[in-house]
Amino acid sequence: MIELTAKQLADAIGRGDVSAAEAFDAYRERAAADDLNAYLWVAEERPAADGGPLNGVPLAVKDLFCTEGVPSQSGSRILEGYRPPYTATAVRRLAEAGAPLLGKTNQDEFAMGSSNENSAFGPVLNPWDRERVPGGSSGGSAAAVAAGSAPWALGTDTGGSIRQPAALCGIVGLKPTYGTVSRYGMIAFASSLDQAGPLTRDVTDAALLYSHMVGRDECDSTSLQHPEAIALPTAERLDGLRIGVPRDALASEGVEPGVLAAFEATLVRAEELGAQIVDVSLPHADHALSAYYVIAPAEASSNLARFDGVRYGLRRDADEGLIAMYTHTRHDGFGDEVKRRILIGTYALSAGYYDAYYARAQQVRTKIADDFRAAFRSCDLVATPTSPTVAFRLGERVDDPLAMYLGDLFTIPFSLAGLPAISIPCGLSEGLPVGFQLGGPAFSENRILDAAYALEQAIGFEPLEVGG
Amino acid sequence: MIDREQVLHVARLARLQLTDEEVERMAGELSAILGHVERIGELDLEGVEPTSHVVEVANALRPDEPRPSLPREVALANAPDTDGEGFLVPSPQA
């Protein structure tokens, strides 16, 4: 049963080959026995089942989604023990569709990180090589799906936090168009960028999970109705599809030769399927990382002001007065990366620096969105490697925050422009998975999923053995 | 680029205590990050509109009608200290 995709499992339950209770128990046992540190909490029993089209296929959920009565700590000590009084809309919708909560997955603290080493609850190990990171920030979700301790999982992506761990763990991750999934109940990092999406074993599962998450939510005033119904992908050919490749961006330093080789081989497959590969230019992509590392920390410094020891979570030194209570609680509750980003964000928003940093970064954001608009006049989708490197070793980049940030080079432009993009596994380099990123205009998920599906069939990537 | 004093100033604004060791380390790390970020200063952005949000949603309104909200005891349940009616905080004068 464990080797089935989520869709196959839902179908098997539908046929009566296996019961929803058996499926839940099998995964519950695997999640409880997880030795990758992918889970922070595992359900003790199956929630009361109400049916629904997903037939009871259990779902792993990133820690930062609020789940009523269940620890939701966003990977942070400052929220240790927090049990929210309500459930995030995306999680509630999926539970109502028949995907009950299996467990909460480990993540970088407040989703800030690309390796899962910033979790207050310890790093997650990559199931392909336990001495390497699974990527981040949705590292627990990616590792759980890759290792078969979850059929599928929810993550969030702010600058690449679904796509990059999916790439490093050899699974599929979709970051949807900004606004198509409600952010209600997601513990916020950078509100203009945060977006929930699926991490799955294949493209069909990503489409299926996403199709039950989308839709406007009156609890999130920035949420939107998707103009199209999300369909399960069926394309076998890519005839007529123009895939743009930003050659200038690929030429940047730091892209591993093995990653580039797997990427180029996938472009050849796309051509064999009938696609046309065209050069496109994203002239401001080079500055996307800089703009992102102003905008995201600025929004984070504001969002994280709420963690003050008053309404939930940690409180320190209440006998030393209000200001000492605030500052000591935040010192002890936040990890190094969160402190760094709060300081950068506060600096960028402070008097005298606002125009040079935050205002300019927002202008760069406009230029990046313009670049994509121009590119999509000559192509239908844009392809890049998801990550310039395969999974790196635990500890390798922790002392160099900037090196860690540079790993988000290819994912960030889509995030700043609010555009959808998927990562699918496209091969191995040094025995480790390489991700192929395919992005498109706003609301082009159906086209992206179809193209990714056709490529997936042609690539025939061998996932980790998870049966038994 | 960003020195000890600036780190301490920003930390005060952010209500974040830092140890001496953290101030030293952050000054170096933040300078490296800001050095990279400052490359956006090279671009000619004269007249470019800023993007604060990618989705064009104007005035998402709902009817102004009273609705049930969290019961008080539920809202207080996660708080470190309460008097049963509200959140208790230390005195600002202490």
Side-chain angles (χ1 to χ4, degrees), chain A residues 198-261:
Chain A
L199 292 110
T200 56
R201 295 202 198 154
D202 70 6
V203 176
T204 302
D205 281 0
L208 182 60
L209 200 61
Y210 179 56
S211 72
H212 290 284
M213 298 165 64
V214 287
R216 186 167 149 65
D217 174 16
E218 65 168 18
C219 295
D220 174 1
S221 62
T222 62
S223 65
L224 302 159
Q225 201 60 44
H226 201 293
E228 296 179 9
I230 301 303
L232 295 187
T234 55
E236 291 171 7
R237 297 277 307 166
L238 298 177
D239 296 306
L241 187 78
R242 297 165 304 166
I243 298 178
V245 179
R247 288 284 164 198
D248 292 349
L250 291 186
S252 70
E253 288 172 50
V255 185
E256 291 176 352
V259 168
L260 210 49

Side-chain angles (χ1 to χ4, degrees), chain A residues 1 19 54 63 66 95 99 107 114 116 121 154 191 194 246 248 265 292 320 333 348 355 382 389 416 466-467:
Chain A
M1 177 198 319
S19 75
L54 300 176
D63 195 28
C66 286
Q107 59 166 91
S114 311
N116 222 111
F121 305 102
L154 264 194
S191 305
D194 295 343
D248 292 349
Y292 176 84
E320 294 179 32
D355 286 337
V382 166
T389 71
L416 286 173
V466 297

Side-chain angles (χ1 to χ4, degrees), chain A residues 62 108 111-114 136-139 155-166 189 199 411:
Chain A
K62 189 176 184 178
D108 283 299
M112 299 178 191
S114 311
S137 65
S138 310
T156 60
D157 192 311
T158 303
S161 282
I162 288 173
R163 291 162 284 165
Q164 185 257 16
F189 162 17
L199 292 110
T411 49

Side-chain angles (χ1 to χ4, degrees), chain A residues 315 331 340 357 360 366, chain B residues 22 29 38 43 49 51 88:
Chain A
R315 167 177 281 192
H331 173 269
R340 268 193 290 274
Y357 290 102
R360 282 190 82 79
T366 303
Chain B
E22 284 170 327
E29 288 169 353
E38 275 166 7
L43 292 169
E49 286 292 316
T51 297
L88 280 183

